[in-house]
Amino acid sequence: MELIVLALVGLTVLLVSAIFSRRTGIAAPLLLLVLGIIASFIPWIPDIELSNELVLLGILPPILFASGRNVPVIEIRRNLKPIAWLSIVMVIVPAVIVGVIVHALFQEISLPLAIALGAAVSPIDAVAATSIGRRLGLPDRIMTLLEGESLFNDAAALVTMRMAVSALAVGFSFVEASLGFLWAVVGGLAIGYVVGRIINWARGRLDDPILVTVATLASPWASYIPAEQVHASGVIAVVVSAVLMTHLAPRSLNAEERAMVKSTWATVSYVLEHAVFLLMGMQITLLVSDARSSGGMGRVWLMAIVVLVVLIVMRAVGVAVVVWMSNHRETRARTLGRYLKDGLSEEGERRARARFGENWESESSRWLNRTRADLDYALTEKISPKGGIVLAWAGMRGVVTLAAIQTLPYVAGGQLVDHRGTVILVAFLVAVTSLLLFGGTLPFVIRSTGLAAPGVDERRHEEKMLVRSMLETVNRELGPLAEQTIDGEPVPPHVITKLERRMAVLNNRTNTEALRLERDTRDIYWALFTRYLDALRLALEGERSVGAYSHHALRAAEEMLDRFEVNSRSRG
């Protein structure tokens, strides 16, 4: 009963904080963190211990899966190098540097324990940053980098943490650590891909929105648990399965199933992402008590400040490299753009013929269009120094930091791990301080830089251009409605008239009046309707593969087709 009451109170706090956040502009995660800290000092509220098993096994997989569903494949591909740099290199290197500096300044902390601390505090948690960024309209590429980095950096941090914990017990081996890291990445990729394919195949045959949603809800753990059992990265497995299943969903699920899955995951991710900040704040009294029992708070605060300063410096260096990557890519894009301005060269055509055979013209044309879209993205979505400032300032730590550090064992190598409580509190203080300091001032930094995403009118214009392009592709592939046949027979004129009026909705016309069909012509209408709807979806997939339009426009077009299908079928 007590647990149910606490859950009810917690959900109420989430709702109230969301309303307050919308009215004041304060990010809900930061507000919940402060409320949790205040609640931890109220005597009648029970102590909450956010165990690492609860976070790493219960909360982290669904949060990662929900985040992976929202990151488009094409954006990850275009930003693969900076995401890999931020989520792998800029997790491992700061972990080692923090470990060396902490061990040098606080010699009672062993080097493996100090590196474990560094691994725990290195990955950023972009929930608060993206919450603020969406509200204030950060440019799409900065949002993509933040979301992509936070998807994969947990894997690098947890694997590094695992190596440090192993070194506490049996010593460190560079070869074993390298092989372990390689297997964690490769194994996670393979298991995530296989599980994603299997569940997507199963979802496509369930033919029931509720069962499809249940299967999707089970997906995070179906990827995470097998990967962890074989010492691969469960985090990578979950992210890969989420991205893959989302990419395949338009071809395996119908509109009603996709709508239910989307709404369910939006609810689950919102509750979990915000609840962890409330629970995180409520742990402070327990952590302070544990740290005091093993030493004074003065050295704890000093260690936390040292770690935070090192992380700030390393974050600035890492983001500076990303800005350099963007400028270097812009230069290469301009050069390649001039080279491809007039199409493929004779040598390029020869290679295309050899590679694609009879379809070389269509395939090379698709490659050219995609390459030009990538070049345009590199030129128009580059990371400016102002963007780098925002990206660096958004480097807040979160709940994964606390969960990772709590995986530290009490005993290693037959001996108690000294200063375990101190290191855990230091990690907590670093996470909370970074959230309050950088999260609280991030809106001011964003406004000061003047960065902004495209406006509403610009978004709508892009969506209209995308739909127009899709309709032109369909008309080019299928021909006019009046010339369509079903089973070799001409389509009755009144059936064509009804579909034309339905299709007018997509082309931004207002005549949506429906005609009643006789029972004997309904099958003909739905056959024709399905033909055109499938062609529109194929046209959308073609536009997505090229990438000339933003993921916002592509997602809006997909949702529009889903609504179009559901509404048309409900009206009959």
Side-chain angles (χ1 to χ4, degrees), residues 498-517:
K498 178 171 183 176
L499 187 56
E500 284 178 339
R501 290 178 176 177
R502 288 277 170 84
M503 296 289 287
V505 177
L506 299 180
N507 207 17
N508 300 307
R509 290 185 231 140
T510 58
N511 186 4
T512 59
E513 179 186 356
L515 296 176
R516 289 187 174 275
L517 295 177

Side-chain angles (χ1 to χ4, degrees), residues 287-302:
L287 294 172
V288 170
S289 176
D290 290 343
R292 282 177 175 171
S293 65
S294 60
M297 286 297 296
R299 290 184 69 79
V300 170
W301 273 109
L302 180 60

Side-chain angles (χ1 to χ4, degrees), residues 494-495 498-499 502 512-527 529 563-572:
H494 64 286
V495 174
K498 178 171 183 176
L499 187 56
R502 288 277 170 84
T512 59
E513 179 186 356
L515 296 176
R516 289 187 174 275
L517 295 177
E518 298 298 330
R519 188 177 300 275
D520 60 345
T521 57
R522 286 181 184 175
D523 291 342
I524 297 175
Y525 169 79
W526 286 117
F529 173 85
R563 290 194 302 270
F564 180 55
E565 177 182 352
V566 172
N567 293 338
S568 297
R569 293 190 183 280
S570 63
R571 293 174 184 173

Side-chain angles (χ1 to χ4, degrees), residues 41 117 124 130 132 219 229 260 294 331 398 407 432 470 505 572:
F41 290 99
L117 170 62
I124 72 163
T130 53
I132 296 170
S219 302
Q229 288 297 312
M260 182 171 287
S294 60
T331 303
T407 61
V432 171
M470 291 163 53
V505 177

Side-chain angles (χ1 to χ4, degrees), residues 77-78 333 336-345 364-380 546-548:
R77 177 179 65 80
R78 285 171 168 170
L336 186 56
R338 289 192 295 268
Y339 178 75
L340 296 176
K341 182 178 180 181
D342 299 322
L344 293 177
S345 62
S364 60
S365 176
R366 180 186 295 272
W367 178 86
L368 271 174
N369 290 334
R370 186 173 66 179
T371 302
R372 286 167 177 160
D374 289 347
L375 297 178
D376 184 64
Y377 179 86
L379 295 173
T380 59
V546 171

Side-chain angles (χ1 to χ4, degrees), residues 451-516:
L451 296 175
V456 175
D457 292 339
E458 190 175 347
R459 295 270 196 218
R460 288 177 179 172
H461 176 71
E462 184 186 22
E463 292 168 13
K464 291 179 181 178
M465 295 298 294
L466 171 58
V467 172
R468 186 174 302 171
S469 176
M470 291 163 53
L471 289 170
E472 289 174 356
T473 300
V474 170
N475 289 332
R476 190 167 55 248
E477 294 289 334
L478 299 182
L481 273 171
E483 298 177 4
Q484 298 301 304
T485 61
I486 301 295
D487 295 331
E489 296 294 328
V491 178
H494 64 286
V495 174
I496 293 176
T497 301
K498 178 171 183 176
L499 187 56
E500 284 178 339
R501 290 178 176 177
R502 288 277 170 84
M503 296 289 287
V505 177
L506 299 180
N507 207 17
N508 300 307
R509 290 185 231 140
T510 58
N511 186 4
T512 59
E513 179 186 356
L515 296 176
R516 289 187 174 275

Side-chain angles (χ1 to χ4, degrees), residues 543-558:
E543 295 289 356
R544 180 179 281 115
S545 66
V546 171
Y549 295 93
S550 70
H551 68 273
H552 294 284
L554 295 167
R555 191 168 294 165
E558 184 177 48

